[in-house]
Every structure is written in structure tokens, then in C-alpha cells.
């Protein structure tokens, strides 16, 4: 009986590994929105992102410029912006902890410390706290 249970555990573990492996190897969804300029979830802000070096190299630290505007096009100053993200198909976050380090003026902010350690589908998520309220936006990236 113990062998039968042990065998069942091994089979279940192999099946789980196979499902996880297939998920990691899957292509990103065809309808994936790859826009780098979009409204925030509640449409409080218009947000755009641009890497300082395009395309950013896999495995190296790089910076991004995030531009935040109000819906009327007015630049947002003194926003508190947090950064998160990861690989949805792999179930893990970013390998670094990117942070906004400086305001560049005209609603532009520099995000330092971004690194994508492998090719595939990545998300960069921003939470913005500013004059119009708190809102968030997610950008899909593929490399």
C-alpha cells in the first residue's frame, strides 16, 4: 500500500511539473495589448512608458521614463509612483525592485533598476498617487 501511495505521489508531481512547464513555454496571448501609452484603470491619468535604451537588453539593469498626465493632458507633478510586475505565465515577480528616483519635469519620472532576466511576456505595473487620486496601470511587454 505504501508503494502504491508513493507511486501516486510521484505521478501527481510529474503531472504538476508537466503542466507548469507547458505554461512556462506557452506563447503570450495573441490579443495581448502591447501599447506603451494608455489610460490608467479608472482613467484618472494617461500614462506612457519608454525605455532609455530601446529595446532594453535582457539580463542587464536599465531605466524607463514614465510620463503621467491628467486626462486633459496636464502634466502630473509630485506623484508618488510605485512599480511592480513580473511574468504572468511563470508566476513570478520582477527579479529587481525598480523605483522612481527622480522627476524630470513635464510629468516625466525616471524608474531605475528594471531588469528582465529572460525573454517572454512581462508586465510592468504602476500605482500612481497624485492630485486626481490613486489609480494603476499595467503594461505588457514581450522580449
Amino acid at each position: 500500500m505504501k508503494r502504491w501511495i508513493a507511486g501516486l505521489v510521484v505521478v501527481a508531481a510529474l503531472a504538476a511539473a508537466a503542466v507548469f512547464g507547458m505554461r512556462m513555454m506557452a506563447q503570450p496571448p495573441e490579443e495581448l495589448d502591447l501599447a506603451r501609452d494608455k489610460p490608467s484603470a479608472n482613467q484618472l491619468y494617461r500614462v506612457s512608458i519608454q525605455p532609455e535604451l530601446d529595446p532594453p537588453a535582457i539580463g542587464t539593469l536599465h531605466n524607463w521614463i514614465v510620463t503621467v498626465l491628467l486626462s486633459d493632458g496636464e502634466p502630473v507633478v509630485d506623484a508618488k509612483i510605485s512599480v511592480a510586475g513580473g511574468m504572468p505565465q511563470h508566476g513570478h515577480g520582477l527579479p529587481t525592485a525598480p523605483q522612481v528616483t527622480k522627476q524630470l519635469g513635464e510629468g516625466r519620472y525616471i524608474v531605475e533598476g528594471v531588469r528582465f532576466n529572460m525573454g517572454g511576456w512581462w508586465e510592468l505595473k504602476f500605482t500612481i498617487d497624485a492630485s486626481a487620486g490613486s489609480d494603476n496601470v499595467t503594461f505588457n511587454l514581450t522580449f
Side-chain angles (χ1 to χ4, degrees):
M1 181 70 158
K2 288 182 182 181
R3 286 186 191 183
W4 186 81
I5 292 174
L8 188 58
V9 169
V10 168
V11 168
L14 289 173
V19 168
F20 182 73
M22 287 180 1
R23 186 175 138 198
M24 287 181 58
M25 300 300 287
Q27 293 295 318
E30 287 184 26
E31 70 281 356
L32 194 63
D33 176 9
L34 297 174
R36 290 192 181 177
D37 182 309
K38 61 173 66 176
S40 56
N42 295 317
Q43 300 193 10
L44 297 178
Y45 306 105
R46 183 91 195 163
V47 184
S48 62
I49 59 170
Q50 182 64 41
E52 281 190 328
L53 297 174
D54 201 359
I58 300 296
T60 62
L61 286 175
H62 49 277
N63 302 332
W64 287 70
I65 305 298
V66 177
T67 303
V68 183
L69 307 173
L70 293 172
S71 57
D72 65 2
E74 184 72 25
V76 174
V77 296
D78 297 326
K80 303 288 186 248
I81 302 172
S82 61
V83 186
M87 293 190 87
Q89 291 177 307
H90 291 206
H92 64 76
L94 293 169
T96 58
Q99 295 183 9
V100 172
T101 58
K102 184 192 243 183
Q103 287 190 55
L104 301 173
E106 299 177 6
R108 297 177 310 129
Y109 300 80
I110 189 158
V111 176
E112 294 185 16
V114 179
R115 181 169 62 96
F116 305 115
N117 58 340
M118 66 182 72
W121 168 25
W122 288 88
E123 290 180 333
L124 278 180
K125 299 178 178 189
F126 299 92
T127 300
I128 302 158
D129 289 306
S131 58
S134 182
D135 208 348
N136 60 71
V137 61
T138 299
F139 293 93
N140 296 296
L141 305 166
T142 58
F143 302 102

